Amino acid sequence: MNKPLRPVPKPGVMEIEAYVPGKSAAPEGVKLHKLSSNENPLGPSPAAIEAVKKLAGKMESYPDGSARRLRQAIGAAHGLNPANIICSNGSDEIIGLLAQTYLEPGDEGIITEHGFLCYRIYIQAASGVPVTVKETGERADVDAILAAVTERTRIVFLANPNNPTGTYMPHDEVRRLHAALPKNVLLVVDAAYAEYVRRNDYESGIELVSSSENVVMTRTFSKIHGLGGIRVGWVYAPTHIVEALNRMRGPFNVNAAAIEAGIAAMGDRAHVEKGIAHNDQWLPWVTDELTKLGLRVTPSVCNFVLVHFPGSNKHSAAAADAYLTSLGYVLRRVSGYGFPNALRMTIGTEEANRGVVAALTEFLKS
Ligand SMILES: Cc1ncc(COP(=O)(O)O)c(C=O)c1O
């Protein structure tokens, strides 16, 4: 065989559909309300801002590669052993590391129909095969997941609750899923939005991790803690998984500013409560108002809603997106998630929430 004349990516790389982040620009002269990335409208804790400012004068020093103080802060806040926590450059880094660590070429990773898109990307990046299973009523379906398990299955990714649907799997269902999975299959419970969930039958996955050898729970500082820009996440995992991931991660994968911001954010429970209270007030309001306009809204337990538009061109999601963007309300197109005619809207400030409802009222009249 002729040698290629330039470096060639390994098989499968060019088939990956690169992740498209939410838009973040409004037309010139129009005030931007960014509602496309599920960021916290209240911003980060003032303590986190202070911590990053303080760190700015010490940027010449490498961070602590094990993020020990941050792991301790997370452990204290959640009642977990810091030795079973690994911090990361956003939780998506952990998702990628898990795929790299546990998938051999051709191994299968199960994802759900409307699941978070990063899973597919990272499975493919690890030369694995993403196996997509149907959801039922925009919810992950335990039986469908179990029916897709084969000899080659090594990972199941479950966002609980899920983005972009905002739906969740009750804890007894997660347990049923876990109980029926082969022991060599890793169940990744991605609880990026756990803090927002106000349901008695929901658990983030901590107990399941503590009591088994094949479950991990990922978490992020990007949502309730308002630190998406600084990139910090973490995973709670059994010791043997921690030992494997620590070999695969970069030696300084969490930067010094992220460590300091994370520690401060973990210590500011009042700020977290504020974010939860804001969501508790505005999530039902936005859901009700949009429903009153005749739009179907998938019931959400998160800090965003999935809004479905009528099929016609005039009132399509694309037309609504263009109209809202022209007014500065930037929502998220979700065609890549299997929802060509829906938009995902982050619960924003009061001004943004009221603005979107008023704008859609006008839009639907036209
Ligand atoms: C379900 C889910 N998991 C993980 C992430 C990644 O968050 P980060 O990498 O910012 O921690 C997101 C971000 O949108 C998400 O929606």
Side-chain angles (χ1 to χ4, degrees):
M1 215 172 74
N2 287 341
K3 267 200 183 144
L5 297 173
R6 57 181 193 181
V8 176
K10 66 180 180 175
V13 170
M14 299 315 289
E15 273 99 75
I16 296 174
E17 268 183 53
Y19 187 79
V20 183
K23 288 185 297 181
S24 55
E28 232 179 80
V30 176
K31 180 174 173 183
L32 170 69
H33 295 277
K34 188 179 173 211
L35 304 170
S36 56
S37 298
N38 302 339
E39 293 153 344
N40 185 340
L42 307 182
S45 153
I49 296 172
E50 267 319 297
V52 172
K53 279 188 188 160
K54 251 176 139 175
L55 188 275
K58 300 184 219 157
M59 283 192 288
E60 72 283 8
S61 301
Y62 276 89
D64 163 19
S66 84
R68 184 181 49 84
R69 286 166 46 245
L70 177 55
R71 288 186 295 107
Q72 283 172 341
I74 296 168
H78 289 269
L80 306 175
N81 182 352
N84 290 100
I85 293 169
I86 295 181
C87 297
S88 56
N89 184 40
S91 59
D92 68 358
E93 186 196 12
I94 289 287
I95 294 164
L97 282 172
L98 289 165
Q100 291 291 344
T101 304
Y102 290 99
L103 292 177
E104 288 191 43
D107 282 346
E108 294 169 1
I110 295 180
I111 54 184
T112 67
E113 189 182 359
H114 305 298
F116 184 46
L117 277 177
C118 278
Y119 309 147
R120 164 182 294 278
I121 292 172
Y122 285 125
I123 291 169
Q124 289 176 296
S127 302
V129 179
V131 174
T132 307
V133 304
K134 281 274 172 212
E135 297 188 3
T136 303
E138 292 157 10
R139 285 183 168 76
D141 179 326
V142 172
D143 296 305
I145 294 171
L146 291 174
V149 173
T150 72
E151 281 294 307
R152 300 278 342 228
T153 308
R154 290 293 174 274
I155 295 195
V156 174
F157 283 108
L158 178 72
N160 197 29
N162 184 50
N163 167 22
T165 52
T167 58
Y168 74 106
M169 185 182 279
H171 193 59
D172 55 358
E173 281 290 281
V174 181
R175 280 195 170 279
R176 184 164 79 81
L177 170 63
H178 173 250
L181 278 180
K183 297 270 188 285
N184 67 337
V185 173
L186 176 64
L187 174 60
V188 180
V189 181
D190 175 349
Y193 299 93
E195 293 87 351
Y196 292 106
V197 186
R198 312 289 258 174
R199 293 288 189 283
N200 290 335
D201 58 354
Y202 173 80
E203 277 183 29
S204 61
I206 287 176
E207 213 209 296
L208 207 51
V209 176
S210 303
S211 59
S212 52
E213 292 287 312
N214 64 333
V215 185
V216 300
M217 173 193 67
T218 60
R219 300 287 285 261
T220 183
F221 283 81
S222 301
K223 308 301 172 188
I224 192 78
H225 296 292
L227 291 172
I230 210 154
R231 312 302 301 132
V232 55
W234 53 282
V235 64
Y236 176 54
T239 302
H240 70 100
I241 293 179
V242 166
E243 286 172 353
L245 293 179
N246 270 334
R247 286 167 165 80
M248 293 292 282
R249 70 176 175 86
F252 303 104
N253 63 327
V254 189
N255 72 69
I259 289 175
E260 297 308 324
I263 292 168
M266 264 298 141
D268 191 350
R269 185 66 211 173
H271 190 71
V272 170
E273 294 295 341
K274 236 189 193 174
I276 293 171
H278 181 86
N279 206 57
D280 283 350
Q281 178 180 359
W282 291 102
L283 173 67
W285 187 86
V286 167
T287 304
D288 289 351
E289 293 298 316
L290 295 181
T291 306
K292 277 192 236 159
L293 293 180
L295 299 169
R296 182 169 77 81
V297 180
T298 306
S300 170
V301 294
C302 296
N303 67 335
F304 57 84
V305 284
L306 185 65
V307 189
H308 304 264
F309 286 81
S312 67
N313 285 342
K314 213 169 102 197
H315 290 157
S316 66
D321 185 43
Y323 181 70
L324 289 168
T325 301
S326 74
L327 299 174
Y329 302 107
V330 177
L331 279 61
R332 182 77 145 94
R333 294 293 310 271
V334 280
S335 307
Y337 284 95
F339 295 112
N341 215 14
L343 295 176
R344 191 192 69 197
M345 172 189 170
T346 305
I347 301 303
T349 59
E350 172 172 359
E351 183 191 353
N353 298 335
R354 289 191 187 280
V356 170
V357 169
L360 285 177
T361 307
E362 282 308 305
F363 171 74
L364 291 167
K365 272 188 206 157
S366 66

